[in-house]
Amino acid sequence: YQCLPAMPTPPLSLRYAIGRGSLGVLLVATSARGLCAILFGDDQLGDDETALQAELQQRFPRATLLAGDDDTRRQLAAVIALADNPAAAFELSLDPHGTAFQRQVWQALRTIPAGSTVSYRELAARIGAPRAVRAVASACAANPLAVVVPCHRVLRSDGTPGGYRWGLARKLALLAREAALPPFTAPPTA
């Protein structure tokens, strides 16, 4: 029995676009499979486009970064629209890069309706890992898809907002927008 050499990882090319929305400067990046990064400028980076490009390159060190095309700019507009109106439909494909545990947390985050919040402890229980509260918090902090994977909907057990990778002011703004939405009701079943 002979081990075959590992299959080489195909080179990763990412298209990205940067724009400004009501929450500040925003970068979206797409792979061939879908959106893989949504990054806001923040206090550590400033709202500097060069700093956002550098963060994208740091997250994907082996990727070739290419200027966005019309499709990438449409995806940027869709993300900005979602940040401005959390009730908007969002149907773009996602390609989150992370560990299996992180992707499990991020998928669970996507099930939290706009206008609702959960604690890190509740989120850990939802994924069947009630003792992994800190790991869940770390997965939230590593979320590469701001707004679309709504880690801003997770609060501390005491109900305080806690931190947010993209700045506490943005988290509070997003939560306020979502709190203004009418309550979610499931459609009637036939």
Side-chain angles (χ1 to χ4, degrees), residues 40-52 54-55 58-59 141 163-168 170:
F40 279 110
D42 66 15
D43 294 337
Q44 283 121 2
L45 297 175
D47 281 341
D48 176 56
E49 292 182 12
T50 304
L52 284 170
E55 182 177 357
Q58 182 181 359
R59 284 181 176 261
Y164 185 56
R165 165 66 186 90
W166 313 111
L168 187 57
R170 275 196 189 97

Side-chain angles (χ1 to χ4, degrees), residues 48-178:
D48 176 56
E49 292 182 12
T50 304
L52 284 170
Q53 292 168 347
E55 182 177 357
L56 180 63
Q57 190 69 73
Q58 182 181 359
R59 284 181 176 261
F60 298 94
R62 293 190 173 132
T64 301
L65 304 183
L66 306 168
D69 55 11
D70 288 342
D71 190 47
T72 310
R73 286 186 286 280
R74 278 191 293 275
Q75 291 180 37
L76 172 65
V79 171
I80 290 171
L82 180 66
D84 290 344
N85 177 12
F90 191 83
E91 302 297 326
L92 298 176
S93 296
L94 303 180
D95 183 21
H97 292 237
T99 67
F101 181 80
Q102 288 172 331
R103 290 192 312 270
Q104 181 182 19
V105 171
W106 299 337
Q107 185 60 42
L109 287 167
R110 299 218 48 215
T111 67
I112 304 168
S116 299
T117 60
V118 300
S119 71
Y120 292 102
R121 185 171 307 287
E122 290 172 279
L123 187 57
R126 284 186 184 193
I127 65 165
R131 298 175 56 105
V133 176
R134 287 188 183 192
V136 164
S138 292
C140 289
N143 173 17
L145 294 165
V147 180
V148 173
V149 175
C151 55
H152 62 275
R153 296 182 188 150
V154 185
L155 308 176
R156 291 181 176 157
S157 295
D158 65 4
T160 59
Y164 185 56
R165 165 66 186 90
W166 313 111
L168 187 57
R170 275 196 189 97
K171 181 174 187 167
L172 295 173
L174 287 164
L175 291 172
R177 289 176 187 181
E178 293 180 358

Side-chain angles (χ1 to χ4, degrees), residues 22-43:
S22 62
L23 295 173
V25 174
L26 174 71
L27 176 147
V28 299
T30 62
S31 68
R33 296 177 57 185
L35 278 170
C36 59
I38 301 170
L39 312 174
F40 279 110
D42 66 15
D43 294 337

